[in-house]
Structures are given as C-alpha cells and as structure tokens.
C-alpha cells in the first residue's frame, strides 16, 4: 500500500501519469490524514473535501482517457488563506473578513493550478492579514509546528508550512512581503521560494504591501518547488507589478553539478549585523563546506548592513498596509486582533516624505546588490537567526521575529529561497537562504538540489508521522 | 527622540483613530521603532537616486507591432452595397 503522506510531487506525478495510483485515492488519503492530525496543528482554516474529491475524480477520468496534463495533474495542494479560490471563503485569518468574503473569481495562481489539473484541498492559516503573529485572539488559533507542536511555525504563511511538514499536502502557496514564505519554510524544514519580483502574479491575493508582495511556492523538496514555480509563474497583464520576462523550465538545471560555480557568502548578516544562534550558524557553515566539497568556488560577499534593509522595508510596508486597511480601522478597529492592529496602525504615522525617501534607499540597495552579484552566480546567507521558539512564549516570539535576513530580498526584488540545513539538538529544523540574480531562479534550484542530494535533510519526517 | 503616551494620544486624535487607553503604551513603542527606522534611513546616501516603485526593471507590456488588417478584404466587402477593385464605392460628394 502506498504511503501518500510524504510522496514528492515528482514521484507522485510519475505514478499518477502511469496510473499506478489514483488521484481520488491520493486526495482521500490526505483528507483522512488531515482529519486525524490537524486538530493538534491547526494548519487549515477551511477544508474543501467535496470539491477536492470532485476535482480528483475529474483528474482521474482525464488521466484514464490518456489526457495527462503535467506534473500537478491530480496532485493535492493548499492555499494560504489570503489567496482567492472561486467559491471558497478568503478569511485572511481575520474577523474583519468573515462576512461576505467568498470570491467568485480565482486568483491568477489558483487559475494556473486549475489549468494544471491540481486538486485544492483547503485554505491554510496565516497571521492576520499576513502581518504580525502568532496571535491567540483571532477567530481561529495559530498553526503549530509539526516538529514540535509547542513551537512556532514562523509566519505569516504558517498553515502552509505546518501542512507540508505534517504530510497533509505535497504543495502549498504562501506569500512573502518581509519573508513570509521563507520564514515558515525555515522553521518547518521546507523549501520556500520567493521568486523575483514580478515573476508570479499577485492578482486575487489580498495585498499587504503592493511594492513588496510576492507569492511563492512551498514544498518539501527542491525539485518539487521548481515544479510548482513552473505552474504559477508567468506574466499577467492585470497585475501591474507582473514582469513580461521569459519563463524558462525551472527544473531545467536540476541534476547539474556545481563545479566551478562562484558562490558568495553574506556572512556579516549573521555574524556581525546580527548574531545567529550557534547551531544555526554552524549548519550554514557546514552547508558552505558541502558546496565547496562539490567543487564550488566560495568567497565572502559584503552588502549594506541588515538594519538598512529592515528599516526601508518597514517604512515602505507599513504605510502601504495602512492605506489598504484605513477604512476598516476607522469603522471597526475592534474586529482586528491586537497584534495586527498595533502593527498596521504604525503605518498611519509615517510621513509621506519618509516613505518616498525609503523608496530611494530601496533603489540604492537594489543597485548595490546587483553590482555585488556581478562577481557571483548565487549567494548564501542565513534565513532565520534562531530555530523556532515556543509559540506561547510571547516575549521570545517578539524578540526572534525580526531576527532574520529575508527582508533584503523583498527590497531588492531578487530571488531568494530557504533550504533546510539540518536540525538543532532539540530536533527543530535549521536552514539557510540561497539567493540569486533577478530572474535566475533556475540556478538557485540547481545549487539547492546539488546540496540536497549531498545531504539528506529533506528526507526526515516529524514525529507525528505514523 | 522618543514619544510619550500623551503625544500618541494627540496624534491618534489628529488621525481620527480611536486608541484605547491600554493600547497607547504599546503603540508608543511601535512609533518609537518607526522613528528609529527613519533615522537609519537617513544614514544611507541617496544623493541623486530617484524614488522607485518597482525593483525589477520592466517595460510596459506591449503587443507586437504587426499590421492586423486580418487579410479579410473579401469578407468585409461582402457587406458593402457596392465595391470595386477592393474598395467601398460611396456616393460622389465633391463636384
């Protein structure tokens, strides 16, 4: 009997295509697993079981008729609950949205999944409106980390992270404005890609910050991630930030070696600007050694200090977020949870002049990054400075939330991916980021895959696995 | 520079936002963070750098510049009361 929980997309796709497994069986197995285990993890806000089984039956009929659409055909997936799926509620994990929040149109990315024949099983937990968190004063509880349910998943794509690590789905989408795909990927032992700004359309996704928002694929393996990006990437004339860039096959370079590749290590992010937890720092240094051992040419790389990026990110993000929420803030502030209200409200008080200056800082930092990358193919740095803290430890959650090096790449727009680098002594996932040049995601996948193959981190399972 | 509760109360009133008494202190903390960020921004040299809205250089999407008359001369002229040599024939308007 097939163990569906931890099938990779790549493996499932072959077996679905060859009719060794049925999409209906696959969806049912995962729905059963969710029903059995999600009570302890809260990864889903909403399960659409009937819809999933209907879609699986359609996929089965098509595949049986010889019309296999591609690697996501008949494969279950989940959406962070700020991404629209026609006919299903979009709650943004907020009381503010629980009325009248059923869209009649798919988000661009959801439509892409539909074309690919993928099977939506549900909408996942997030921080309220994708900002702040974890919060315990919302209509639904926060998601918990499958590696240890007493610990935080990271956020804001928390439920997507928990659902993947728990073996509920092989594919999920998150969104990333200051690191929200890569944070739960880092803390839950997953691969999370924030592709180049403009690579993936944001149409139909509840915005946090127009100029910093990205939608990104989250998976358990590198190859699976590239398969997902193949499905969701592409120009969308109806998202003004969407780039009409050429779209390669993102799996195209997977399997090639890294001999002679020039890899920069942005060491000051986690040794000087902030000091990473020693286990985290060691795992990154070990990963760099692995890549060096595979023949890569590694040297240090220097950018502006993390503070500069974090400051510009916040001074742009908060007023953009406040502009979206102002009306509700004035009419029904009590419907927001305390944390989102406090965070977003700060945006009301940032001067327009400071906002404009922050966009100039952003331009400057992006230019500096692009210049520095001329000497390298990809770069490696930290993602989270610390492994997941306990979810109910409010002080520690607040302290560690900003200890990260993800916002630089929301600001520069460059592609950045979180990759597992092992486990702490306490059994919690460690991680690094591999970052690249604009629109060069395929090269990041190549390097990440070479590293993944040389280690076995993505093969471990959290303890809830039966 | 640091904001106190009274200042926060005043600016909240100016912004027409209701802030509960016990939320003033945490909000003052958020606002002090913001002042810190703004201070950090001024340390980056932005001389001559224009403001930007997109970090990735993209040009406005344009359709290919191709003649699109459809190559349907006959179909179009089929609706005309009268045609000659691929043109509509219209009443003479100039003597």
């Amino acid at each position: 009997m097939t163990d569906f929980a931890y099938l990779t997309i790549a493996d499932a796709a072959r077996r679905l295509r060859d009719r060794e497994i049925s999409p209906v069986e696959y969806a049912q197995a995962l729905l059963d697993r969710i029903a059995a285990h999600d009570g302890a993890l809260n990864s889903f806000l909403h399960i659409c079981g009937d819809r999933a089984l209907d879609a699986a039956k359609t996929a089965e009929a098509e595949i049986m008729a010889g019309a296999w659409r591609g690697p996501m055909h008949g494969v279950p997936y989940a959406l962070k609950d700020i991404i629209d799926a026609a006919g299903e509620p979009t709650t943004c994990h907020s009381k503010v949205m629980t009325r009248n929040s059923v869209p009649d149109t798919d988000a661009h990315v959801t439509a892409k999944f539909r074309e690919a024949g993928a099977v939506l099983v549900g909408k996942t937990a997030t921080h309220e409106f994708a900002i702040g968190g974890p919060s315990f004063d919302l209509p639904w509880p926060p998601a918990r980390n499958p590696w240890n349910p007493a610990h935080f998943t990271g956020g804001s794509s928390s439920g997507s992270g928990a659902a993947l690590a728990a073996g509920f789905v092989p594919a999920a989408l998150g969104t990333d404005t200051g690191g929200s795909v890569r944070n739960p990927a880092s803390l839950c032992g997953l691969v999370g890609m924030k592709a180049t700004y403009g690579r993936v359309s944001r149409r139909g996704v509840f915005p946090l910050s127009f100029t910093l928002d990205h939608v990104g694929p989250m998976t358990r393996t590198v190859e699976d991630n590239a398969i997902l990006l193949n499905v969701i990437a592409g120009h969308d004339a109806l998202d003004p930030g969407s780039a009409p860039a050429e779209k390669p096959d993102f799996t195209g370079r997977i399997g090639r070696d890294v001999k002679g590749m020039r890899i920069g290590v942005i060491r000051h992010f986690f040794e000087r600007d902030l000091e990473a937890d020693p286990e985290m720092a060691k795992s990154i240094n070990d990963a760099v050694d692995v890549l060096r051992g595979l023949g890569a040419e590694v040297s240090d790389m220097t950018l502006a200090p993390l503070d500069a990026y974090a400051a510009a990110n916040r001074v742009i993000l908060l007023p953009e977020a406040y502009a979206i929420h102002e009306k509700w803030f004035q009419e029904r502030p009590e419907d927001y949870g305390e944390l989102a209200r406090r965070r977003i409200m700060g945006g009301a008080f940032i001067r327009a002049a400071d906002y404009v200056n922050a966009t100039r800082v952003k331009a400057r930092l992006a230019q500096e990054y692009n210049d520095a990358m001329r000497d390298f193919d990809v770069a490696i740095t930290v993602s989270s400075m610390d492994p997941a803290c306990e979810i109910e430890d409010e002080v520690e959650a607040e302290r560690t939330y900003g200890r990260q090096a993800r916002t630089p790449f929301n600001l520069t727009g460059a592609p950045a991916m979180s990759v597992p680098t092992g486990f702490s002594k306490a059994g919690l996932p460690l991680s690094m980021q591999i970052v690249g040049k604009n629109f060069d995601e395929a090269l990041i996948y190549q390097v990440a895959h070479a590293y993944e193959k040389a280690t076995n981190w993505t093969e471990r399972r959290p303890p809830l696995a039966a | 520079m640091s904001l106190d509760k009274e200042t926060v109360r005043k600016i909240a009133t100016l912004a027409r936002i209701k802030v509960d008494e016990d939320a003033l202190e945490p909000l003052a903390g958020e606002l002090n963070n913001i002042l810190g960020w703004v201070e950090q921004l001024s340390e980056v040299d932005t001389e001559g750098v224009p403001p930007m809205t997109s970090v990735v250089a993209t040009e406005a999407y344009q359709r290919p510049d191709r003649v699109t008359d459809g190559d349907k001369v006959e179909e179009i002229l089929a609706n005309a009361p009268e045609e000659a040599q691929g043109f509509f024939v219209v009443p003479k308007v100039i003597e």
Side-chain angles (χ1 to χ4, degrees):
Chain A
M1 180 163 161
T2 313
D3 178 15
F4 287 103
Y6 287 99
L7 275 184
T8 63
I9 300 170
D11 191 18
R14 275 189 295 274
R15 294 161 78 170
L16 285 162
R17 184 198 57 199
D18 297 344
R19 305 176 199 179
E20 286 171 27
I21 56 175
S22 135
V24 180
E25 235 186 329
Y26 193 5
Q28 188 62 59
L30 296 190
L31 287 169
D32 291 348
R33 186 176 171 84
I34 294 166
H37 291 289
D38 202 33
L41 298 174
N42 315 320
S43 41
F44 283 93
L45 300 183
H46 172 66
I47 302 279
C48 39
D50 291 342
R51 173 195 177 123
L53 291 173
D54 283 349
K57 280 176 197 153
T58 306
E60 185 179 67
E62 288 170 349
I63 295 170
M64 290 309 282
W68 184 67
R69 297 195 200 188
M72 280 303 288
H73 200 178
V75 175
Y77 76 99
L79 289 174
K80 179 179 186 174
D81 200 18
I82 66 169
I83 303 172
D84 284 350
E88 307 296 337
T90 302
T91 69
C92 301
H93 209 132
S94 177
K95 191 179 171 191
V96 175
M97 293 288 286
T98 47
R99 291 171 255 170
N100 307 324
S101 57
V102 181
D104 53 16
T105 314
D106 278 337
H108 187 255
V109 287
T110 312
K112 291 274 189 184
F113 273 119
R114 198 190 285 270
E115 285 164 28
V119 174
L120 177 68
V121 300
K123 309 287 293 287
T124 56
T126 162
H127 296 334
E128 188 173 24
F129 289 107
I131 191 165
S135 304
F136 292 87
D137 59 350
L138 304 178
W140 303 270
R144 286 170 178 269
N145 196 319
W147 293 95
N148 182 341
H151 285 252
F152 188 28
T153 50
S156 61
S157 311
S158 319
S160 292
L164 282 159
F168 295 157
V169 280
L173 291 192
T175 59
D176 193 313
T177 306
S180 286
V181 157
R182 293 161 287 157
N183 183 6
S186 294
L187 300 192
C188 297
L190 306 166
V191 180
M193 170 65 101
K194 181 208 79 68
T196 313
Y197 186 80
R199 187 58 112 175
V200 181
S201 167
R202 294 96 36 96
R203 173 158 56 95
V205 180
F206 197 96
L208 174 56
S209 165
F210 299 109
T211 62
L212 297 168
D213 285 346
H214 299 67
V215 176
M218 299 168 70
T219 54
R220 291 187 291 261
T221 69
V222 174
E223 185 183 12
D224 284 3
N225 205 282
I227 289 171
L228 270 200
L229 190 58
N230 271 345
V231 171
I232 62 171
H235 179 246
D236 172 17
L238 297 178
D239 171 359
S242 180
E246 199 180 318
K247 179 180 160 188
D249 173 3
F250 295 108
T251 65
R253 301 186 68 93
I254 281 179
R256 297 197 202 176
D257 66 35
V258 296
K259 231 167 255 147
M261 200 169 277
R262 298 164 307 161
I263 299 182
V265 182
I266 314 165
R267 198 170 282 288
H268 62 90
F269 276 0
F270 59 99
E271 289 185 352
R272 200 170 64 231
D273 304 343
L274 285 173
E275 212 171 300
D277 171 271
E279 289 187 285
M280 189 68 82
K282 181 174 185 305
S283 84
I284 297 170
N285 288 328
D286 290 350
V288 169
D289 287 344
V290 167
L291 287 164
R292 193 184 280 120
L294 294 172
E297 290 167 21
V298 182
S299 55
D300 284 1
M301 175 175 164
T302 307
L303 298 174
L306 267 180
D307 276 358
Y309 291 99
N313 182 274
R314 292 288 138 174
V315 172
I316 293 168
L317 189 160
L318 291 177
E320 290 191 3
Y322 183 76
I324 293 159
H325 289 273
E326 181 170 46
K327 192 162 180 292
W328 288 333
F329 259 63
Q330 291 170 342
E331 290 172 2
R332 41 198 288 221
E334 67 285 354
D335 285 350
Y336 288 83
E338 193 266 338
L339 198 53
R341 190 169 64 225
R342 172 149 57 90
R343 288 274 154 77
I344 298 172
M345 199 184 291
F349 304 103
I350 288 176
R351 298 187 316 151
D354 291 324
Y355 172 84
V356 171
N357 281 335
T359 68
R360 297 169 75 202
V361 169
K362 179 187 183 192
R364 170 72 197 265
L365 294 172
Q367 188 55 51
E368 180 193 84
Y369 175 78
N370 295 339
D371 289 347
M373 281 301 283
R374 285 212 187 98
D375 298 331
F376 296 98
D377 296 307
V378 298
I380 283 177
T381 191
V382 70
S383 174
S384 289
M385 301 289 164
D386 312 278
C389 69
E390 288 190 18
I391 191 166
E392 283 168 43
D393 186 341
E394 212 177 305
V395 175
E396 195 59 5
E398 180 100 19
R399 185 186 75 86
T400 54
Y401 209 94
R403 282 175 42 80
Q404 50 108 329
R406 291 178 285 266
T407 50
F409 310 102
N410 293 87
L411 223 53
T412 65
M417 187 162 85
S418 172
V419 178
T421 54
F423 293 84
S424 71
K425 286 197 191 74
L428 292 164
L430 304 171
S431 60
M432 64 175 166
Q433 276 186 106
I434 304 180
V435 304
K437 296 174 188 171
N438 288 336
F439 299 107
D440 208 358
E441 293 88 356
L443 200 62
I444 297 179
Y445 285 126
Q446 178 185 346
V447 176
H449 185 262
Y451 171 74
E452 182 185 53
K453 216 171 67 175
T455 55
N456 63 352
W457 307 122
T458 56
E459 288 166 24
R460 286 224 207 158
R461 308 284 171 250
L464 92 158
Chain B
M1 178 174 162
S2 175
L3 292 175
D4 58 16
K5 250 169 80 171
E6 281 318 304
T7 317
V8 174
R9 198 195 313 274
K10 189 173 165 217
I11 51 185
T13 311
L14 291 174
R16 300 285 181 271
I17 296 172
K18 183 181 154 200
V19 181
D20 291 339
E21 188 61 31
D22 56 358
L24 285 171
E25 200 71 60
L27 185 58
E30 296 285 329
L31 297 187
N32 281 319
N33 281 341
I34 291 171
L35 291 176
W37 297 330
V38 169
E39 216 163 277
Q40 277 162 9
L41 286 183
S42 64
E43 286 166 17
V44 178
D45 179 11
T46 51
E47 186 69 36
V49 180
M52 73 182 324
T53 50
S54 176
V55 282
V56 175
T58 53
E59 285 167 24
Y61 183 69
Q62 295 176 324
R63 65 165 172 74
D65 185 17
R66 281 196 303 261
V67 176
T68 52
D69 69 357
D71 201 17
K72 294 177 184 166
V73 177
E74 283 173 18
E75 281 174 48
I76 291 165
L77 288 177
N79 287 325
E82 200 183 342
E83 53 106 0
Q85 294 159 0
F87 293 94
F88 293 102
V89 175
V90 296
K92 196 172 179 182
V93 291
I94 302 167
E95 291 304 325

